[in-house]
PDB file of all heavy atoms in Angstrom:
ATOM      1  N   ALA A 151       9.037   1.105  17.171  1.00  0.00           N
ATOM      2  CA  ALA A 151       8.600   1.899  18.325  1.00  0.00           C
ATOM      3  C   ALA A 151       8.356   0.997  19.537  1.00  0.00           C
ATOM      4  O   ALA A 151       8.761   1.332  20.657  1.00  0.00           O
ATOM      5  CB  ALA A 151       7.334   2.682  17.985  1.00  0.00           C
ATOM      6  N   LEU A 152       7.710  -0.149  19.321  1.00  0.00           N
ATOM      7  CA  LEU A 152       7.465  -1.071  20.440  1.00  0.00           C
ATOM      8  C   LEU A 152       8.780  -1.666  20.933  1.00  0.00           C
ATOM      9  O   LEU A 152       8.983  -1.820  22.144  1.00  0.00           O
ATOM     10  CB  LEU A 152       6.489  -2.180  20.047  1.00  0.00           C
ATOM     11  CG  LEU A 152       6.157  -3.164  21.160  1.00  0.00           C
ATOM     12  CD1 LEU A 152       5.440  -2.448  22.312  1.00  0.00           C
ATOM     13  CD2 LEU A 152       5.318  -4.307  20.652  1.00  0.00           C
ATOM     14  N   THR A 153       9.679  -1.966  20.008  1.00  0.00           N
ATOM     15  CA  THR A 153      10.989  -2.484  20.396  1.00  0.00           C
ATOM     16  C   THR A 153      11.720  -1.465  21.265  1.00  0.00           C
ATOM     17  O   THR A 153      12.283  -1.813  22.307  1.00  0.00           O
ATOM     18  CB  THR A 153      11.821  -2.823  19.143  1.00  0.00           C
ATOM     19  OG1 THR A 153      11.103  -3.773  18.357  1.00  0.00           O
ATOM     20  CG2 THR A 153      13.173  -3.386  19.513  1.00  0.00           C
ATOM     21  N   ASN A 154      11.709  -0.202  20.842  1.00  0.00           N
ATOM     22  CA  ASN A 154      12.359   0.856  21.629  1.00  0.00           C
ATOM     23  C   ASN A 154      11.684   1.033  22.987  1.00  0.00           C
ATOM     24  O   ASN A 154      12.365   1.225  23.998  1.00  0.00           O
ATOM     25  CB  ASN A 154      12.353   2.173  20.860  1.00  0.00           C
ATOM     26  CG  ASN A 154      13.300   2.162  19.685  1.00  0.00           C
ATOM     27  OD1 ASN A 154      14.272   1.419  19.680  1.00  0.00           O
ATOM     28  ND2 ASN A 154      13.016   2.971  18.682  1.00  0.00           N
ATOM     29  N   LEU A 155      10.363   0.993  22.991  1.00  0.00           N
ATOM     30  CA  LEU A 155       9.631   1.112  24.254  1.00  0.00           C
ATOM     31  C   LEU A 155      10.032  -0.001  25.216  1.00  0.00           C
ATOM     32  O   LEU A 155      10.333   0.251  26.395  1.00  0.00           O
ATOM     33  CB  LEU A 155       8.115   1.071  24.008  1.00  0.00           C
ATOM     34  CG  LEU A 155       7.245   1.019  25.261  1.00  0.00           C
ATOM     35  CD1 LEU A 155       7.264   2.372  25.968  1.00  0.00           C
ATOM     36  CD2 LEU A 155       5.827   0.620  24.905  1.00  0.00           C
ATOM     37  N   THR A 156      10.059  -1.219  24.734  1.00  0.00           N
ATOM     38  CA  THR A 156      10.405  -2.371  25.576  1.00  0.00           C
ATOM     39  C   THR A 156      11.836  -2.267  26.072  1.00  0.00           C
ATOM     40  O   THR A 156      12.117  -2.464  27.259  1.00  0.00           O
ATOM     41  CB  THR A 156      10.203  -3.679  24.786  1.00  0.00           C
ATOM     42  OG1 THR A 156       8.856  -3.721  24.294  1.00  0.00           O
ATOM     43  CG2 THR A 156      10.466  -4.884  25.654  1.00  0.00           C
ATOM     44  N   ARG A 157      12.771  -1.954  25.164  1.00  0.00           N
ATOM     45  CA  ARG A 157      14.187  -1.851  25.549  1.00  0.00           C
ATOM     46  C   ARG A 157      14.385  -0.739  26.578  1.00  0.00           C
ATOM     47  O   ARG A 157      15.086  -0.915  27.580  1.00  0.00           O
ATOM     48  CB  ARG A 157      15.061  -1.609  24.316  1.00  0.00           C
ATOM     49  CG  ARG A 157      16.553  -1.606  24.651  1.00  0.00           C
ATOM     50  CD  ARG A 157      17.456  -1.392  23.449  1.00  0.00           C
ATOM     51  NE  ARG A 157      17.173  -0.139  22.768  1.00  0.00           N
ATOM     52  CZ  ARG A 157      16.724  -0.039  21.511  1.00  0.00           C
ATOM     53  NH1 ARG A 157      16.538  -1.109  20.787  1.00  0.00           N
ATOM     54  NH2 ARG A 157      16.487   1.142  20.971  1.00  0.00           N
ATOM     55  N   THR A 158      13.746   0.398  26.364  1.00  0.00           N
ATOM     56  CA  THR A 158      13.883   1.519  27.296  1.00  0.00           C
ATOM     57  C   THR A 158      13.290   1.174  28.660  1.00  0.00           C
ATOM     58  O   THR A 158      13.877   1.505  29.693  1.00  0.00           O
ATOM     59  CB  THR A 158      13.206   2.775  26.715  1.00  0.00           C
ATOM     60  OG1 THR A 158      13.787   3.055  25.439  1.00  0.00           O
ATOM     61  CG2 THR A 158      13.393   3.966  27.619  1.00  0.00           C
ATOM     62  N   ALA A 159      12.145   0.504  28.656  1.00  0.00           N
ATOM     63  CA  ALA A 159      11.530   0.108  29.928  1.00  0.00           C
ATOM     64  C   ALA A 159      12.447  -0.852  30.682  1.00  0.00           C
ATOM     65  O   ALA A 159      12.635  -0.718  31.902  1.00  0.00           O
ATOM     66  CB  ALA A 159      10.166  -0.532  29.684  1.00  0.00           C
ATOM     67  N   ILE A 160      13.039  -1.799  29.969  1.00  0.00           N
ATOM     68  CA  ILE A 160      13.965  -2.743  30.618  1.00  0.00           C
ATOM     69  C   ILE A 160      15.180  -1.998  31.154  1.00  0.00           C
ATOM     70  O   ILE A 160      15.616  -2.238  32.290  1.00  0.00           O
ATOM     71  CB  ILE A 160      14.372  -3.860  29.634  1.00  0.00           C
ATOM     72  CG1 ILE A 160      13.173  -4.764  29.365  1.00  0.00           C
ATOM     73  CG2 ILE A 160      15.545  -4.665  30.177  1.00  0.00           C
ATOM     74  CD1 ILE A 160      13.384  -5.760  28.242  1.00  0.00           C
ATOM     75  N   ASP A 161      15.717  -1.071  30.363  1.00  0.00           N
ATOM     76  CA  ASP A 161      16.859  -0.266  30.832  1.00  0.00           C
ATOM     77  C   ASP A 161      16.500   0.521  32.091  1.00  0.00           C
ATOM     78  O   ASP A 161      17.297   0.607  33.030  1.00  0.00           O
ATOM     79  CB  ASP A 161      17.322   0.714  29.749  1.00  0.00           C
ATOM     80  CG  ASP A 161      18.020   0.033  28.584  1.00  0.00           C
ATOM     81  OD1 ASP A 161      18.394  -1.153  28.730  1.00  0.00           O
ATOM     82  OD2 ASP A 161      18.175   0.684  27.524  1.00  0.00           O
ATOM     83  N   ASN A 162      15.307   1.089  32.115  1.00  0.00           N
ATOM     84  CA  ASN A 162      14.865   1.839  33.298  1.00  0.00           C
ATOM     85  C   ASN A 162      14.813   0.950  34.534  1.00  0.00           C
ATOM     86  O   ASN A 162      15.251   1.346  35.619  1.00  0.00           O
ATOM     87  CB  ASN A 162      13.495   2.477  33.055  1.00  0.00           C
ATOM     88  CG  ASN A 162      13.554   3.627  32.064  1.00  0.00           C
ATOM     89  OD1 ASN A 162      14.607   4.160  31.782  1.00  0.00           O
ATOM     90  ND2 ASN A 162      12.402   3.981  31.520  1.00  0.00           N
ATOM     91  N   TYR A 163      14.278  -0.248  34.383  1.00  0.00           N
ATOM     92  CA  TYR A 163      14.190  -1.156  35.537  1.00  0.00           C
ATOM     93  C   TYR A 163      15.560  -1.656  35.977  1.00  0.00           C
ATOM     94  O   TYR A 163      15.812  -1.815  37.175  1.00  0.00           O
ATOM     95  CB  TYR A 163      13.252  -2.332  35.242  1.00  0.00           C
ATOM     96  CG  TYR A 163      11.801  -1.940  35.396  1.00  0.00           C
ATOM     97  CD1 TYR A 163      11.019  -1.659  34.294  1.00  0.00           C
ATOM     98  CD2 TYR A 163      11.228  -1.828  36.663  1.00  0.00           C
ATOM     99  CE1 TYR A 163       9.696  -1.286  34.444  1.00  0.00           C
ATOM    100  CE2 TYR A 163       9.908  -1.452  36.823  1.00  0.00           C
ATOM    101  CZ  TYR A 163       9.142  -1.189  35.696  1.00  0.00           C
ATOM    102  OH  TYR A 163       7.836  -0.813  35.841  1.00  0.00           O
ATOM    103  N   VAL A 164      16.457  -1.886  35.015  1.00  0.00           N
ATOM    104  CA  VAL A 164      17.821  -2.301  35.381  1.00  0.00           C
ATOM    105  C   VAL A 164      18.517  -1.175  36.143  1.00  0.00           C
ATOM    106  O   VAL A 164      19.160  -1.402  37.175  1.00  0.00           O
ATOM    107  CB  VAL A 164      18.619  -2.714  34.116  1.00  0.00           C
ATOM    108  CG1 VAL A 164      20.104  -2.833  34.406  1.00  0.00           C
ATOM    109  CG2 VAL A 164      18.070  -4.020  33.553  1.00  0.00           C
ATOM    110  N   ARG A 165      18.383   0.061  35.657  1.00  0.00           N
ATOM    111  CA  ARG A 165      18.982   1.208  36.337  1.00  0.00           C
ATOM    112  C   ARG A 165      18.388   1.356  37.751  1.00  0.00           C
ATOM    113  O   ARG A 165      19.107   1.586  38.709  1.00  0.00           O
ATOM    114  CB  ARG A 165      18.773   2.492  35.521  1.00  0.00           C
ATOM    115  CG  ARG A 165      19.514   3.685  36.064  1.00  0.00           C
ATOM    116  CD  ARG A 165      19.486   4.928  35.171  1.00  0.00           C
ATOM    117  NE  ARG A 165      18.254   5.199  34.474  1.00  0.00           N
ATOM    118  CZ  ARG A 165      18.031   4.937  33.158  1.00  0.00           C
ATOM    119  NH1 ARG A 165      18.975   4.414  32.429  1.00  0.00           N
ATOM    120  NH2 ARG A 165      16.870   5.204  32.608  1.00  0.00           N
ATOM    121  N   PHE A 166      17.081   1.204  37.842  1.00  0.00           N
ATOM    122  CA  PHE A 166      16.429   1.274  39.159  1.00  0.00           C
ATOM    123  C   PHE A 166      16.992   0.215  40.103  1.00  0.00           C
ATOM    124  O   PHE A 166      17.320   0.515  41.251  1.00  0.00           O
ATOM    125  CB  PHE A 166      14.912   1.085  39.010  1.00  0.00           C
ATOM    126  CG  PHE A 166      14.235   0.747  40.295  1.00  0.00           C
ATOM    127  CD1 PHE A 166      13.948   1.730  41.232  1.00  0.00           C
ATOM    128  CD2 PHE A 166      13.890  -0.565  40.596  1.00  0.00           C
ATOM    129  CE1 PHE A 166      13.325   1.417  42.429  1.00  0.00           C
ATOM    130  CE2 PHE A 166      13.272  -0.885  41.786  1.00  0.00           C
ATOM    131  CZ  PHE A 166      12.986   0.109  42.704  1.00  0.00           C
ATOM    132  N   ALA A 167      17.100  -1.022  39.620  1.00  0.00           N
ATOM    133  CA  ALA A 167      17.602  -2.104  40.469  1.00  0.00           C
ATOM    134  C   ALA A 167      19.029  -1.826  40.928  1.00  0.00           C
ATOM    135  O   ALA A 167      19.379  -2.063  42.093  1.00  0.00           O
ATOM    136  CB  ALA A 167      17.530  -3.441  39.718  1.00  0.00           C
ATOM    137  N   ASN A 168      19.871  -1.304  40.027  1.00  0.00           N
ATOM    138  CA  ASN A 168      21.253  -0.978  40.396  1.00  0.00           C
ATOM    139  C   ASN A 168      21.303   0.136  41.442  1.00  0.00           C
ATOM    140  O   ASN A 168      22.040   0.047  42.428  1.00  0.00           O
ATOM    141  CB  ASN A 168      22.060  -0.573  39.159  1.00  0.00           C
ATOM    142  CG  ASN A 168      22.411  -1.752  38.290  1.00  0.00           C
ATOM    143  OD1 ASN A 168      22.496  -2.884  38.764  1.00  0.00           O
ATOM    144  ND2 ASN A 168      22.599  -1.512  37.013  1.00  0.00           N
ATOM    145  N   GLU A 169      20.524   1.193  41.210  1.00  0.00           N
ATOM    146  CA  GLU A 169      20.513   2.305  42.168  1.00  0.00           C
ATOM    147  C   GLU A 169      19.988   1.843  43.531  1.00  0.00           C
ATOM    148  O   GLU A 169      20.526   2.207  44.563  1.00  0.00           O
ATOM    149  CB  GLU A 169      19.644   3.458  41.632  1.00  0.00           C
ATOM    150  CG  GLU A 169      20.266   4.182  40.467  1.00  0.00           C
ATOM    151  CD  GLU A 169      19.325   5.215  39.854  1.00  0.00           C
ATOM    152  OE1 GLU A 169      18.189   5.382  40.352  1.00  0.00           O
ATOM    153  OE2 GLU A 169      19.726   5.854  38.865  1.00  0.00           O
ATOM    154  N   TRP A 170      18.942   1.030  43.492  1.00  0.00           N
ATOM    155  CA  TRP A 170      18.368   0.535  44.753  1.00  0.00           C
ATOM    156  C   TRP A 170      19.397  -0.312  45.498  1.00  0.00           C
ATOM    157  O   TRP A 170      19.567  -0.169  46.709  1.00  0.00           O
ATOM    158  CB  TRP A 170      17.107  -0.274  44.479  1.00  0.00           C
ATOM    159  CG  TRP A 170      16.419  -0.710  45.724  1.00  0.00           C
ATOM    160  CD1 TRP A 170      15.519  -0.014  46.456  1.00  0.00           C
ATOM    161  CD2 TRP A 170      16.615  -1.955  46.415  1.00  0.00           C
ATOM    162  NE1 TRP A 170      15.123  -0.735  47.549  1.00  0.00           N
ATOM    163  CE2 TRP A 170      15.781  -1.937  47.557  1.00  0.00           C
ATOM    164  CE3 TRP A 170      17.399  -3.077  46.172  1.00  0.00           C
ATOM    165  CZ2 TRP A 170      15.719  -3.003  48.444  1.00  0.00           C
ATOM    166  CZ3 TRP A 170      17.326  -4.131  47.060  1.00  0.00           C
ATOM    167  CH2 TRP A 170      16.497  -4.080  48.178  1.00  0.00           C
ATOM    168  N   ALA A 171      20.087  -1.191  44.771  1.00  0.00           N
ATOM    169  CA  ALA A 171      21.092  -2.055  45.402  1.00  0.00           C
ATOM    170  C   ALA A 171      22.222  -1.212  45.996  1.00  0.00           C
ATOM    171  O   ALA A 171      22.680  -1.483  47.115  1.00  0.00           O
ATOM    172  CB  ALA A 171      21.651  -3.058  44.384  1.00  0.00           C
ATOM    173  N   GLN A 172      22.674  -0.177  45.266  1.00  0.00           N
ATOM    174  CA  GLN A 172      23.730   0.685  45.796  1.00  0.00           C
ATOM    175  C   GLN A 172      23.270   1.388  47.068  1.00  0.00           C
ATOM    176  O   GLN A 172      24.023   1.474  48.041  1.00  0.00           O
ATOM    177  CB  GLN A 172      24.148   1.714  44.746  1.00  0.00           C
ATOM    178  CG  GLN A 172      24.939   1.127  43.600  1.00  0.00           C
ATOM    179  CD  GLN A 172      25.208   2.142  42.506  1.00  0.00           C
ATOM    180  OE1 GLN A 172      24.733   3.275  42.550  1.00  0.00           O
ATOM    181  NE2 GLN A 172      25.968   1.738  41.496  1.00  0.00           N
ATOM    182  N   GLN A 173      22.056   1.897  47.055  1.00  0.00           N
ATOM    183  CA  GLN A 173      21.521   2.565  48.248  1.00  0.00           C
ATOM    184  C   GLN A 173      21.426   1.579  49.408  1.00  0.00           C
ATOM    185  O   GLN A 173      21.789   1.890  50.542  1.00  0.00           O
ATOM    186  CB  GLN A 173      20.138   3.170  47.960  1.00  0.00           C
ATOM    187  CG  GLN A 173      20.166   4.341  47.014  1.00  0.00           C
ATOM    188  CD  GLN A 173      20.892   5.527  47.614  1.00  0.00           C
ATOM    189  OE1 GLN A 173      20.833   5.795  48.803  1.00  0.00           O
ATOM    190  NE2 GLN A 173      21.607   6.256  46.769  1.00  0.00           N
ATOM    191  N   PHE A 174      20.939   0.391  49.127  1.00  0.00           N
ATOM    192  CA  PHE A 174      20.779  -0.623  50.165  1.00  0.00           C
ATOM    193  C   PHE A 174      22.134  -0.994  50.769  1.00  0.00           C
ATOM    194  O   PHE A 174      22.286  -1.029  51.992  1.00  0.00           O
ATOM    195  CB  PHE A 174      20.097  -1.873  49.584  1.00  0.00           C
ATOM    196  CG  PHE A 174      19.929  -2.983  50.571  1.00  0.00           C
ATOM    197  CD1 PHE A 174      18.933  -2.928  51.522  1.00  0.00           C
ATOM    198  CD2 PHE A 174      20.771  -4.081  50.545  1.00  0.00           C
ATOM    199  CE1 PHE A 174      18.771  -3.952  52.442  1.00  0.00           C
ATOM    200  CE2 PHE A 174      20.624  -5.106  51.455  1.00  0.00           C
ATOM    201  CZ  PHE A 174      19.620  -5.039  52.404  1.00  0.00           C
ATOM    202  N   TYR A 175      23.114  -1.243  49.896  1.00  0.00           N
ATOM    203  CA  TYR A 175      24.444  -1.598  50.403  1.00  0.00           C
ATOM    204  C   TYR A 175      25.068  -0.433  51.163  1.00  0.00           C
ATOM    205  O   TYR A 175      25.778  -0.624  52.149  1.00  0.00           O
ATOM    206  CB  TYR A 175      25.360  -2.067  49.273  1.00  0.00           C
ATOM    207  CG  TYR A 175      24.950  -3.409  48.708  1.00  0.00           C
ATOM    208  CD1 TYR A 175      24.860  -3.614  47.341  1.00  0.00           C
ATOM    209  CD2 TYR A 175      24.614  -4.467  49.546  1.00  0.00           C
ATOM    210  CE1 TYR A 175      24.458  -4.837  46.816  1.00  0.00           C
ATOM    211  CE2 TYR A 175      24.218  -5.683  49.028  1.00  0.00           C
ATOM    212  CZ  TYR A 175      24.140  -5.866  47.669  1.00  0.00           C
ATOM    213  OH  TYR A 175      23.746  -7.069  47.175  1.00  0.00           O
ATOM    214  N   GLY A 176      24.830   0.791  50.692  1.00  0.00           N
ATOM    215  CA  GLY A 176      25.330   1.966  51.410  1.00  0.00           C
ATOM    216  C   GLY A 176      24.732   2.065  52.798  1.00  0.00           C
ATOM    217  O   GLY A 176      25.425   2.340  53.781  1.00  0.00           O
ATOM    218  N   ILE A 177      23.436   1.836  52.884  1.00  0.00           N
ATOM    219  CA  ILE A 177      22.769   1.880  54.195  1.00  0.00           C
ATOM    220  C   ILE A 177      23.298   0.775  55.093  1.00  0.00           C
ATOM    221  O   ILE A 177      23.565   0.996  56.273  1.00  0.00           O
ATOM    222  CB  ILE A 177      21.234   1.766  54.010  1.00  0.00           C
ATOM    223  CG1 ILE A 177      20.697   3.043  53.384  1.00  0.00           C
ATOM    224  CG2 ILE A 177      20.536   1.469  55.329  1.00  0.00           C
ATOM    225  CD1 ILE A 177      19.257   2.948  52.915  1.00  0.00           C
ATOM    226  N   MET A 178      23.475  -0.418  54.528  1.00  0.00           N
ATOM    227  CA  MET A 178      24.000  -1.529  55.322  1.00  0.00           C
ATOM    228  C   MET A 178      25.420  -1.223  55.801  1.00  0.00           C
ATOM    229  O   MET A 178      25.773  -1.506  56.940  1.00  0.00           O
ATOM    230  CB  MET A 178      23.981  -2.831  54.502  1.00  0.00           C
ATOM    231  CG  MET A 178      22.586  -3.335  54.199  1.00  0.00           C
ATOM    232  SD  MET A 178      21.621  -3.659  55.686  1.00  0.00           S
ATOM    233  CE  MET A 178      22.509  -5.048  56.325  1.00  0.00           C
ATOM    234  N   SER A 179      26.225  -0.628  54.916  1.00  0.00           N
ATOM    235  CA  SER A 179      27.593  -0.273  55.279  1.00  0.00           C
ATOM    236  C   SER A 179      27.595   0.755  56.407  1.00  0.00           C
ATOM    237  O   SER A 179      28.361   0.641  57.372  1.00  0.00           O
ATOM    238  CB  SER A 179      28.323   0.275  54.059  1.00  0.00           C
ATOM    239  OG  SER A 179      29.607   0.724  54.414  1.00  0.00           O
ATOM    240  N   GLN A 180      26.731   1.767  56.300  1.00  0.00           N
ATOM    241  CA  GLN A 180      26.638   2.768  57.360  1.00  0.00           C
ATOM    242  C   GLN A 180      26.181   2.130  58.662  1.00  0.00           C
ATOM    243  O   GLN A 180      26.661   2.484  59.732  1.00  0.00           O
ATOM    244  CB  GLN A 180      25.654   3.879  56.965  1.00  0.00           C
ATOM    245  CG  GLN A 180      26.197   4.802  55.918  1.00  0.00           C
ATOM    246  CD  GLN A 180      25.159   5.845  55.505  1.00  0.00           C
ATOM    247  OE1 GLN A 180      23.995   5.765  55.867  1.00  0.00           O
ATOM    248  NE2 GLN A 180      25.599   6.822  54.729  1.00  0.00           N
ATOM    249  N   GLY A 181      25.279   1.168  58.549  1.00  0.00           N
ATOM    250  CA  GLY A 181      24.812   0.464  59.747  1.00  0.00           C
ATOM    251  C   GLY A 181      25.942  -0.300  60.408  1.00  0.00           C
ATOM    252  O   GLY A 181      26.088  -0.281  61.633  1.00  0.00           O
ATOM    253  N   GLN A 182      26.765  -0.964  59.602  1.00  0.00           N
ATOM    254  CA  GLN A 182      27.902  -1.699  60.155  1.00  0.00           C
ATOM    255  C   GLN A 182      28.890  -0.741  60.802  1.00  0.00           C
ATOM    256  O   GLN A 182      29.421  -1.013  61.878  1.00  0.00           O
ATOM    257  CB  GLN A 182      28.587  -2.519  59.064  1.00  0.00           C
ATOM    258  CG  GLN A 182      27.801  -3.733  58.635  1.00  0.00           C
ATOM    259  CD  GLN A 182      28.485  -4.475  57.494  1.00  0.00           C
ATOM    260  OE1 GLN A 182      29.233  -3.890  56.710  1.00  0.00           O
ATOM    261  NE2 GLN A 182      28.215  -5.765  57.399  1.00  0.00           N
ATOM    262  N   GLN A 183      29.152   0.384  60.129  1.00  0.00           N
ATOM    263  CA  GLN A 183      30.069   1.365  60.706  1.00  0.00           C
ATOM    264  C   GLN A 183      29.506   1.913  62.013  1.00  0.00           C
ATOM    265  O   GLN A 183      30.245   2.080  62.987  1.00  0.00           O
ATOM    266  CB  GLN A 183      30.303   2.516  59.717  1.00  0.00           C
ATOM    267  CG  GLN A 183      31.084   2.118  58.486  1.00  0.00           C
ATOM    268  CD  GLN A 183      31.106   3.221  57.439  1.00  0.00           C
ATOM    269  OE1 GLN A 183      30.513   4.272  57.622  1.00  0.00           O
ATOM    270  NE2 GLN A 183      31.769   2.958  56.322  1.00  0.00           N
ATOM    271  N   PHE A 184      28.229   2.159  62.053  1.00  0.00           N
ATOM    272  CA  PHE A 184      27.588   2.665  63.273  1.00  0.00           C
ATOM    273  C   PHE A 184      27.734   1.655  64.402  1.00  0.00           C
ATOM    274  O   PHE A 184      28.114   2.016  65.520  1.00  0.00           O
ATOM    275  CB  PHE A 184      26.104   2.955  62.999  1.00  0.00           C
ATOM    276  CG  PHE A 184      25.350   3.361  64.226  1.00  0.00           C
ATOM    277  CD1 PHE A 184      25.484   4.636  64.754  1.00  0.00           C
ATOM    278  CD2 PHE A 184      24.506   2.464  64.855  1.00  0.00           C
ATOM    279  CE1 PHE A 184      24.783   5.014  65.886  1.00  0.00           C
ATOM    280  CE2 PHE A 184      23.803   2.826  65.987  1.00  0.00           C
ATOM    281  CZ  PHE A 184      23.939   4.105  66.510  1.00  0.00           C
ATOM    282  N   VAL A 185      27.442   0.385  64.097  1.00  0.00           N
ATOM    283  CA  VAL A 185      27.560  -0.654  65.127  1.00  0.00           C
ATOM    284  C   VAL A 185      29.004  -0.778  65.592  1.00  0.00           C
ATOM    285  O   VAL A 185      29.272  -0.905  66.796  1.00  0.00           O
ATOM    286  CB  VAL A 185      27.018  -2.012  64.605  1.00  0.00           C
ATOM    287  CG1 VAL A 185      27.363  -3.147  65.540  1.00  0.00           C
ATOM    288  CG2 VAL A 185      25.508  -1.929  64.390  1.00  0.00           C
ATOM    289  N   SER A 186      29.953  -0.715  64.654  1.00  0.00           N
ATOM    290  CA  SER A 186      31.370  -0.805  65.030  1.00  0.00           C
ATOM    291  C   SER A 186      31.754   0.358  65.948  1.00  0.00           C
ATOM    292  O   SER A 186      32.433   0.161  66.963  1.00  0.00           O
ATOM    293  CB  SER A 186      32.257  -0.782  63.784  1.00  0.00           C
ATOM    294  OG  SER A 186      32.054  -1.928  63.011  1.00  0.00           O
ATOM    295  N   ARG A 187      31.318   1.585  65.595  1.00  0.00           N
ATOM    296  CA  ARG A 187      31.618   2.739  66.446  1.00  0.00           C
ATOM    297  C   ARG A 187      30.987   2.575  67.821  1.00  0.00           C
ATOM    298  O   ARG A 187      31.607   2.875  68.842  1.00  0.00           O
ATOM    299  CB  ARG A 187      31.120   4.035  65.792  1.00  0.00           C
ATOM    300  CG  ARG A 187      32.018   4.562  64.695  1.00  0.00           C
ATOM    301  CD  ARG A 187      31.667   5.997  64.318  1.00  0.00           C
ATOM    302  NE  ARG A 187      30.265   6.215  64.032  1.00  0.00           N
ATOM    303  CZ  ARG A 187      29.690   6.108  62.835  1.00  0.00           C
ATOM    304  NH1 ARG A 187      30.437   5.791  61.797  1.00  0.00           N
ATOM    305  NH2 ARG A 187      28.409   6.325  62.675  1.00  0.00           N
ATOM    306  N   GLN A 188      29.763   2.094  67.861  1.00  0.00           N
ATOM    307  CA  GLN A 188      29.095   1.899  69.148  1.00  0.00           C
ATOM    308  C   GLN A 188      29.828   0.860  69.990  1.00  0.00           C
ATOM    309  O   GLN A 188      29.969   1.025  71.207  1.00  0.00           O
ATOM    310  CB  GLN A 188      27.628   1.462  68.929  1.00  0.00           C
ATOM    311  CG  GLN A 188      26.751   2.518  68.300  1.00  0.00           C
ATOM    312  CD  GLN A 188      26.630   3.748  69.184  1.00  0.00           C
ATOM    313  OE1 GLN A 188      26.552   3.653  70.391  1.00  0.00           O
ATOM    314  NE2 GLN A 188      26.624   4.917  68.556  1.00  0.00           N
ATOM    315  N   MET A 189      30.303  -0.196  69.339  1.00  0.00           N
ATOM    316  CA  MET A 189      31.057  -1.223  70.070  1.00  0.00           C
ATOM    317  C   MET A 189      32.364  -0.646  70.619  1.00  0.00           C
ATOM    318  O   MET A 189      32.737  -0.910  71.760  1.00  0.00           O
ATOM    319  CB  MET A 189      31.352  -2.423  69.152  1.00  0.00           C
ATOM    320  CG  MET A 189      30.126  -3.215  68.758  1.00  0.00           C
ATOM    321  SD  MET A 189      29.342  -4.034  70.147  1.00  0.00           S
ATOM    322  CE  MET A 189      30.533  -5.283  70.493  1.00  0.00           C
TER     323      MET A 189
END
């Protein structure tokens, strides 16, 4: 049970980090596109 708890918690944090990174890169990409359009 503790092994499963630990593994699941690690999986949750890895998924969170991936989703956060995708959102961050998406926002950065939109920012670059916005700046390019403005230029």
Side-chain angles (χ1 to χ4, degrees):
L152 181 63
T153 302
N154 289 335
L155 173 72
T156 305
R157 185 179 58 243
T158 303
I160 290 170
D161 289 345
N162 289 343
Y163 280 101
V164 167
R165 188 172 38 258
F166 163 79
N168 286 334
E169 289 174 1
W170 185 86
Q172 288 174 355
Q173 291 294 325
F174 178 77
Y175 290 133
I177 290 169
M178 292 301 292
S179 175
Q180 287 177 350
Q182 287 177 333
Q183 291 171 358
F184 175 76
V185 169
S186 294
R187 281 194 309 270
Q188 293 297 322
M189 292 295 289

